[in-house]
Amino acid sequence: MYERVRDIGEKIKSMEIRGAGRIGRATALALKYFSEDFKGSKEEFLKELEEVKNYLLSTRPTAVSLRNAIYYVVNRKQGSTLEELKESIIKNAEDFIKRSEEALQIIGKYGAGRIPDGATILTHCNSSVAIQCIVQAYRDGKKIKVFNTETRPWLQGHITARALAKEGIDVTMIVDSAVRYFMRDIDIVVVGADTIASNGAVINKIGTSQIALAAHEARVPFIVCAETYKFSPETVIGKLVKIEERDPREIANPEDFPGVKFRNPVFDATPPEYIDAIVTELGVISPYLAYEIIKEVMNVGIEGKEDRH
Ligand code: RUB
């Protein structure tokens, strides 16, 4: 495997590169690097491209951004000669990264619009899109406060808290299980998404669905911020989103607990009835419009029969 591809793949696996948006962009970059570094015939290129694709797909199973980046870069390649194919992949990868970065900025503006002046916001895990909306609201001059969960077991909340504090935002970190206790102080919940299914369910960091439940109970608006490449075309044809289960040692050392089993699913699904809106770069939509997004943007509808990978 090419060194620069392997380097990105291993960083995604070990979560040095994490968060669905970054995973998508890193995947596109790995495919660009492969095309740049490849030496050999056209036949070898196509064969090795399949291997690289499958390797990247094996790094993390839940974030559809990874699959959609591969689809955008590889399946839309054009050309008949080796040089044309390589150039097309490099161009598609650069396009994907550029569009992803632009989407982040646009969602930041739309999402900030949904945050009232004086609001106390709750966020979970570390979503670059959710943070973008919060930071934008703050830069727009809104007097906001943020509560953020530490996000066990990987503690992505530490990254969020530091980023918000660095920006000058009033941020309070709480343990995940304190969410319902504090919900009475919260005006709006803002989270990101790993994957959005065609029925509008949002798959995000484990614990998101519990937060949505507590928000629903307290009648606190629950907003999801996600680029359109977080929507999953495969779910239109009945595929279920695979929930990643990671090493239990992320929770505790099993050797310290003889006879105890551990489970470590790292994502969960929040049903659409608990979601007030999804903020995308195409606008703010109801979760029930997920199918339309998939149909419009990805050109895959009920008629899209086959698995794309
Ligand atoms: C990260 C996570 C984030 C989404 C969205 O999980 O659940 O909320 O990926 O992030 P992990 P972004 O840390 O396991 O990758 O908005 O940055 O795409």
Side-chain angles (χ1 to χ4, degrees), residues 15 18-23 60 125-130 156 192-194 204-205 227 230 267:
M15 289 177 58
R18 46 146 299 283
R22 288 191 183 88
I23 291 173
R60 284 198 82 185
C125 192
N126 177 252
S127 156
S128 46
V129 201
Q156 288 92 330
D194 258 71
N204 191 48
K205 181 53 56 195
E227 306 89 328
K230 310 262 178 76
F267 297 102

Side-chain angles (χ1 to χ4, degrees), residues 106-302:
I106 297 168
I107 296 172
K109 293 208 173 74
Y110 293 167
R114 294 295 297 244
I115 298 174
D117 193 9
T120 299
I121 304 155
L122 173 68
T123 190
H124 183 50
C125 192
N126 177 252
S127 156
S128 46
V129 201
I131 289 180
Q132 187 72 24
C133 297
I134 295 169
V135 167
Q136 186 63 49
Y138 179 73
R139 288 183 185 165
D140 289 346
K142 291 182 181 169
K143 292 192 177 29
I144 54 166
K145 285 185 187 157
V146 179
F147 276 65
N148 89 288
T149 54
E150 60 170 356
T151 318
R152 285 274 297 152
W154 224 80
L155 303 175
Q156 288 92 330
H158 290 192
I159 309 170
T160 300
R162 285 198 184 101
L164 295 175
K166 196 166 165 218
E167 192 67 32
I169 296 173
D170 178 333
V171 56
T172 306
M173 185 150 54
I174 58 172
V175 296
D176 302 354
S177 44
V179 160
R180 189 161 175 258
Y181 178 86
F182 283 111
M183 194 53 84
R184 72 189 75 146
D185 302 325
I186 304 297
D187 299 300
I188 186 167
V189 179
V190 181
V191 295
D194 258 71
T195 295
I196 301 175
S198 61
N199 67 348
V202 167
I203 290 81
N204 191 48
K205 181 53 56 195
I206 192 81
T208 303
S209 69
Q210 266 176 208
I211 297 174
L213 203 54
H216 187 73
E217 178 194 43
R219 301 172 74 94
V220 171
F222 185 95
I223 306 291
V224 175
C225 307
E227 306 89 328
T228 49
Y229 62 84
K230 310 262 178 76
F231 288 73
S232 165
E234 281 80 14
T235 56
V236 172
I237 53 166
K239 281 206 150 200
L240 294 173
V241 178
K242 190 167 190 292
I243 301 289
E244 176 181 12
E245 265 205 62
R246 294 184 64 87
D247 193 329
R249 277 172 294 191
E250 289 181 356
I251 304 176
N253 183 358
E255 284 166 23
D256 295 338
F257 297 87
V260 177
K261 287 182 273 193
F262 286 87
R263 295 284 305 271
N264 186 21
V266 298
F267 297 102
D268 66 18
T270 300
E273 56 267 32
Y274 297 132
I275 299 165
D276 291 279
I278 301 180
V279 186
T280 76
E281 72 275 24
L282 298 183
V284 181
I285 61 160
S286 150
Y288 296 108
L289 281 179
Y291 169 72
E292 294 297 325
I293 291 282
I294 294 170
K295 207 170 83 170
E296 287 301 315
V297 179
M298 289 154 186
N299 223 1
V300 178
I302 291 296

Side-chain angles (χ1 to χ4, degrees), residues 42-93:
K42 178 179 152 187
E43 288 65 38
E44 284 162 345
F45 178 77
L46 292 172
K47 186 172 158 282
E48 286 183 32
L49 182 60
E50 267 316 289
E51 286 165 15
V52 165
K53 213 171 97 171
N54 290 332
Y55 164 68
L56 291 169
L57 282 170
S58 76
T59 54
R60 284 198 82 185
T62 301
V64 76
S65 52
L66 196 157
R67 302 175 79 80
N68 281 341
I70 291 177
Y71 183 77
Y72 191 96
V73 176
V74 177
N75 295 38
R76 296 166 63 257
K77 68 183 177 311
Q78 286 177 337
S80 48
T81 67
L82 174 62
E83 270 326 299
E84 284 168 353
L85 288 168
K86 279 166 71 170
E87 266 168 36
S88 165
I89 284 189
I90 292 168
K91 185 181 173 300
N92 289 350

